[in-house]
Structure formats: C-alpha cells, structure tokens
Amino acid sequence: MKDFQESVKLNIQAAGNDSLDTSNTYRAMGKVHLYRMELLQAKEMFDKSLKIRQQILGDCDLKLAELYHDIGDLYEADKMFNQALAMYDKSLKILLITIGKKNLAVAKIYCSIGWIYGYHLRRGYDARNMFEKALKLELDIVGENSLEVAHTYYCMAYAYYEEDEIDRCLSLSFKAAKIQFNLQTKCYLSIADICILLGHCHHSEENYDTAYRLYDEALTIKSRIFGEKNLSVAQIYDWLAISNAWGSDVKNTTSMVDKSFEIRRGITDEKSKYIAYSHSTLGECYQVHGKYTEALDEHKKALKILLDIQGEGNECALDIAKVYYDIGCVYNAQGSYINEIHYEEKSIEIYKQILGENNLKVAQSLMPIIEACWELQQFDMVLLYQQKYVDIILQLKGETKKLRCGAYLALAMVYRKLKRNREAIRIYEKYFHYNYLVYGEINERRAEAYNELAKIYMEENNHNMVDKFNKLTNNVRRSLRRYKRSNEPLLGNYLITFNTHCRI
C-alpha cells in the first residue's frame, strides 16, 4: 500500500488532482483495499476515482463502466445488494452501448449479478440465467480452459449449494477445480474458495473432519496471501470453529473463535457487524455443546450490535434475520417452542421484506416453525405452515422437482396425522409423480410411501387396495436388494485432496 500511496502523491504532483492517471491510481488502491476486505478505505478510493472520471469522461465511457463494476463488488462485499445491483446495471448499460454484448467484461457483469441472485437473494432461477449467459460468452471467447469459465462454474456451484442441490454443486465445483489445476497460471484465491465450498458441502453432510481439513486448506492459502489480519481470514476461523464444535473438539473450538475475535477487533471496532458475526459463531458453538444460556447471551449480543447499526435502513437486515433464526434454534434445543416460533416468525418477516414472499429462503425458514408445531402437537398449525411451504415451492421458477417432491411428501404426512386420509391419498399421488422424476421408479422413499398407503387402506378395510400397495412395496424393496441401487449421491466420492495442488 505504501507504493500505491507514493504513486498517488507523484501523480498529483505531476498531473494535478484531476488527471486520469490519478484516477487510475485511486482505483488501483481501492481494489487492493477491497481485495483485503478493507471496505471503508476501498469506498473512499473508488469515490475519488469516480469523481475525477465523471469530470473528464462524462457519463458513458468504458473507464466508468469498470469503476461501476468495482463499486458494485464493494457493495456486494458489504451486503448492500440493491446498491450493488444498481452499480452492475450502470456498468452493463455502458458496456452494451460502447462495446456490445460479445465481450468478457459483459460476461463478468452477468456473473456478478448472478452471484447476488444465487448466493445472497436465493433466486436460483434468475442466478442460473445470468450464469448461463456468462458461460456462453466465455466459452465462445476464451474456451473452457480459462480462469473465467472456472469462476463461472464455481459461482453456479454455490447457487446449487444454497438450494441444497449438493450433487450438482459438487459436479460443478470439480469442473472449476480441474480447470484451475490444469492452468499454468493458477488463481490460488479461487482454489481457496473452492475448498471452502466443498467444506460447506461436507459440513452439511455431517462430515465434520473433512470439512475442517478443507477449511484449513483455504486458511493456509488466504493467510499466506493476505496475512492473518484480514476479514476473510477471520471468517474462515468462524467455519473452523463451527466444524470443531460439531466434531466435539471443544478446546480447539474456543481457540478458533478467539482468533476470529482477535482479527476483527484489530481491524474494526466493537460496534461493527463483523464483531457481531464472531458473537454469532460463539453462540452457535455454545448451542452445539449444550450451553444454551451462554448461546443466547452471545446471539443477543450480536443482535444488539446489528440492530444499532440497522437504524432506518436495511444494511444488516439479512444478518438480523439470521440471528433471529439462530435464537429460535437455541429455544428449540431447550424445548421452548413458543419462544422459538416467536423468533422464527420475526426472521421470516425480514426475509419476506427483503427477498419477497415467494423465495426459497422464506420457505426454508418455515421448517423450524413446522417442527415446533409438531412438538406442540398443534397439528392444524402444522398443516397451515406446511401448505404455505408448498405454495411457495410451487411458485418458484426453474428446476424445482426435488423441492416439490419433498414438499408434497411432508404435506401428505400432515394429512395422515390428522386422519384426513382422502386428502393424504390425493397428495401422495402428486408425490409419486415427482418422486419418479427425481429418483426413478425404484427407490426406498417410494416403497415407504406405498407402505403408508397400504396402512391407510387397511384402516378403511379396503383389502384389495391393501394387497395392491403391499405388493408394490415388496416389489420395490426386492428390486433394491437385487440391484443394490442407491439413489443418494455419496459425498465421499467427491472428496478431493488439495494438499499437492495448493502450495504457493
């Protein structure tokens, strides 16, 4: 940074404060600050660069487009998504006017927009449309063995991860990794990001030791590039702590959270949202270890910080929603289901406000409430929320067969619990359609549903139908035994070792 600062001084002395050289140097400094997650400093540099460029170049120039993209990346990193999308849109409009759509800069904008849709806003269909546009341009211009294509595969993989499509996520992650390893000039930060994504996948499948190893590999890469005092490094310590907590390594969990706090306190003040993130991580670790009082204390510390920052705007809205959700999870673990529902509903209201009513994140956030209502034996409320879940899933665009399959099965089970067998049978028919589309004709889920229908007809003394569904159940299970088929992807098949490739 000292070299950049000296360059700015020299440029100002040589050409004055309003030269393009000075603007370029301010932009370069901003990108370095953004790269290091020093967001306030990055914004200051970008603002100075933008002011000069607007004065010299007007409103429609390629140099303005590239800077608008940078500012969009800054807002994305700071979780100000509407502002980020507005900047990307400004950049895209200038690019389409000045150089046309067949350009890597346009592909990069599509990918950035898709990232916000997929990773942050859970709009998977819109994200995939953007990624497909980017990928087509990149394949036409530079071919598959390129950093650009590898990055787009990674972004697509993350969007699938957010939709719990782990098999598709893994497939695209390995496409991205294969390209990276085959290139002579590797992007080690991208390799670290792939490690993190694979770590998330293993964590979601309860392979905590493997997740920890992948996070640790990412930590090695990023700490060598950025040094220890970096916000992205602190975030990896959060993930390491949570993997340790679930893996029951209590001592190491504490040291990881302490490291997260130490880094963030060295960069920001105690009232920043990054300190709130460390409190949330510690709260989750306490919850995993059964220390519910301590977990609530930490989550409420995080909540206070975020609410104080929030003020009249929505800067921290999604973070606040997550903390409400986390508090609800602690109350669930305590068996305090009324309190859980209170906080989960607060979380859902924020998600609706920011993401819209018909959003996958809103649907997923209904599940803890449904579980709590089951525990409270409030089955009419279970039905109400489960129907809301189904209605949202049916409104989602794109590839939703697996989601519909699960939603209809859950709804059928609610009707079954309420002894509303006619409705249960009707929903099971819809379930069988999507079960076939997702898993094929031979799978254990189908056998279990056939068996449940046999029980329904037994209660109705309809012995012909009982015989029919018993035979269907037995036929499916006999076929499963014979062919030893498994319709669940084995995550272990996708495990990759980065140790050889990731050394810098």
Side-chain angles (χ1 to χ4, degrees):
M1 291 303 298
K2 289 182 179 179
D3 291 340
F4 279 118
Q5 290 166 350
E6 187 62 31
S7 175
V8 170
K9 291 179 182 178
L10 292 173
N11 279 330
I12 292 173
Q13 291 172 359
N17 198 37
D18 295 332
S19 73
L20 281 178
D21 284 343
T22 302
S23 172
N24 293 340
T25 307
Y26 280 136
R27 178 188 177 230
M29 290 182 71
K31 287 179 74 69
V32 172
H33 282 304
L34 177 57
Y35 188 72
R36 295 176 60 84
M37 287 296 288
E38 298 162 355
L39 303 183
L40 290 176
Q41 298 94 320
K43 187 176 188 306
E44 180 185 357
M45 293 297 110
F46 287 150
D47 287 346
K48 287 182 177 181
S49 179
L50 180 62
K51 183 178 179 181
I52 295 171
R53 291 187 184 195
Q54 287 175 328
Q55 289 173 348
I56 297 173
L57 302 172
D59 296 325
C60 189
D61 187 273
L62 281 176
K63 285 190 172 295
L64 277 174
E66 68 182 11
L67 190 53
Y68 284 138
H69 194 164
D70 294 336
I71 297 171
D73 291 344
L74 169 67
Y75 283 131
E76 185 273 330
D78 209 23
K79 299 188 178 182
M80 301 171 72
F81 308 123
N82 290 334
Q83 294 92 324
L85 290 171
M87 287 295 140
Y88 292 148
D89 186 59
K90 279 188 175 184
S91 179
L92 181 60
K93 285 178 179 176
I94 293 172
L95 290 172
L96 294 176
I97 291 170
T98 55
I99 60 175
K101 64 181 181 179
K102 292 185 177 181
N103 188 280
L104 284 178
V106 173
K108 188 178 178 184
I109 287 283
Y110 287 145
C111 205
S112 296
I113 295 171
W115 178 257
I116 289 181
Y117 284 155
Y119 177 58
H120 296 295
L121 302 182
R122 305 296 176 90
R123 290 164 55 181
Y125 176 79
D126 296 321
R128 284 190 291 276
N129 280 346
M130 287 294 163
F131 293 142
E132 286 166 6
K133 286 182 179 181
L135 189 61
K136 186 178 187 305
L137 286 173
E138 290 160 353
L139 291 172
D140 289 345
I141 296 169
V142 293
E144 185 166 35
N145 290 318
S146 64
L147 289 174
E148 291 84 1
V149 170
H151 177 67
T152 301
Y153 281 146
Y154 162 77
C155 292
M156 294 172 76
Y158 223 125
Y160 279 120
Y161 168 75
E162 293 296 342
E163 295 182 302
D164 295 325
E165 292 280 356
I166 300 299
D167 51 347
R168 295 186 181 189
C169 169
L170 291 165
S171 175
L172 288 165
S173 294
F174 279 94
K175 277 190 175 183
K178 184 178 179 181
I179 293 171
Q180 289 284 354
F181 295 150
N182 287 338
L183 292 173
Q184 289 185 341
T185 304
K186 296 175 176 58
C187 179
Y188 285 99
L189 276 180
S190 295
I191 293 172
D193 288 336
I194 294 170
C195 287
I196 290 168
L197 178 54
L198 289 173
H200 292 345
C201 292
H202 280 281
H203 185 91
S204 70
E205 296 294 312
E206 301 182 7
N207 299 323
Y208 303 121
D209 289 342
T210 303
Y212 183 91
R213 290 200 301 273
L214 288 161
Y215 293 144
D216 192 54
E217 199 67 58
L219 178 67
T220 299
I221 295 171
K222 290 204 173 188
S223 60
R224 287 183 181 180
I225 293 172
F226 296 134
E228 279 283 315
K229 294 181 179 180
N230 181 269
L231 291 174
S232 63
V233 172
Q235 188 173 40
I236 297 175
Y237 278 116
D238 286 343
W239 293 323
L240 285 167
I242 292 169
S243 288
N244 265 322
W246 283 99
S248 300
D249 188 346
V250 178
K251 183 177 179 181
N252 208 17
T253 297
T254 303
S255 67
M256 293 296 165
V257 179
D258 289 344
K259 196 69 180 176
S260 165
F261 272 116
E262 178 187 341
I263 293 171
R264 286 168 171 153
R265 283 170 173 152
I267 299 171
T268 65
D269 61 49
E270 283 291 324
K271 296 182 179 180
S272 83
K273 62 185 177 183
Y274 300 104
I275 299 298
Y277 298 159
S278 290
H279 283 299
S280 287
T281 298
L282 185 54
E284 182 171 346
C285 294
Y286 277 138
Q287 180 192 336
V288 173
H289 294 147
K291 298 181 178 180
Y292 302 128
T293 301
E294 294 90 339
L296 286 173
D297 286 344
E298 293 301 322
H299 287 314
K300 288 179 180 179
K301 286 177 185 177
L303 182 61
K304 184 180 186 309
I305 293 171
L306 294 171
L307 289 173
D308 287 344
I309 296 171
Q310 177 85 342
E312 297 298 321
N314 285 323
E315 178 185 350
C316 298
L318 293 177
D319 291 328
I320 291 169
K322 182 182 181 303
V323 176
Y324 282 140
Y325 174 87
D326 290 339
I327 292 172
C329 289
V330 178
Y331 280 124
N332 174 278
Q334 288 182 313
S336 181
Y337 301 116
I338 300 297
N339 284 328
E340 177 193 1
I341 291 171
H342 170 72
Y343 280 97
E344 302 294 4
E345 285 181 337
K346 289 169 78 75
S347 175
I348 288 172
E349 285 307 310
I350 295 174
Y351 285 133
K352 285 181 181 178
Q353 178 187 348
I354 303 299
L355 306 178
E357 293 267 351
N358 296 319
N359 184 278
L360 179 59
K361 184 64 176 177
V362 175
Q364 291 170 334
S365 298
L366 289 169
M367 299 311 293
I369 298 180
I370 293 170
E371 179 185 341
C373 290
W374 274 110
E375 294 291 341
L376 292 168
Q377 299 188 21
Q378 296 178 352
F379 301 122
D380 288 338
M381 296 302 295
V382 172
L383 178 59
L384 174 66
Y385 283 112
Q386 190 65 57
Q387 187 62 62
K388 285 183 179 180
Y389 178 87
V390 172
D391 291 343
I392 294 172
I393 296 301
L394 293 178
Q395 292 297 319
L396 296 178
K397 298 177 182 178
E399 183 63 51
T400 61
K401 293 191 292 290
K402 189 173 182 180
L403 289 169
R404 292 186 180 200
C405 181
Y408 279 130
L409 177 60
L411 185 58
M413 291 169 65
V414 179
Y415 279 126
R416 182 79 176 102
K417 184 68 177 180
L418 293 171
K419 303 296 184 182
R420 293 167 61 174
N421 288 343
R422 290 295 97 191
E423 290 99 326
I425 292 170
R426 176 176 58 84
I427 299 300
Y428 270 122
E429 289 173 357
K430 295 182 179 183
Y431 165 71
F432 285 131
H433 170 71
Y434 287 103
N435 174 278
Y436 175 79
L437 294 176
V438 175
Y439 301 108
E441 190 171 359
I442 307 301
N443 62 86
E444 179 58 28
R445 293 176 177 85
R446 198 173 191 84
E448 289 172 357
Y450 284 150
N451 188 50
E452 196 60 37
L453 282 171
K455 293 178 183 177
I456 290 175
Y457 285 115
M458 177 65 76
E459 292 171 7
E460 298 181 351
N461 293 317
N462 189 335
H463 297 292
N464 289 334
M465 296 300 287
V466 171
D467 291 343
K468 173 185 174 180
F469 281 102
N470 277 334
K471 287 179 182 177
L472 287 170
T473 302
N474 292 332
N475 287 342
V476 171
R477 287 177 171 160
R478 190 179 301 115
S479 296
L480 283 170
R481 288 193 298 271
R482 183 183 305 136
Y483 298 108
K484 297 182 180 179
R485 291 180 180 175
S486 173
N487 290 284
E488 293 294 337
L490 295 176
L491 189 58
N493 292 342
Y494 295 95
L495 177 58
I496 189 167
T497 301
F498 288 92
N499 293 344
T500 302
H501 299 285
C502 293
R503 298 305 176 214
I504 300 175

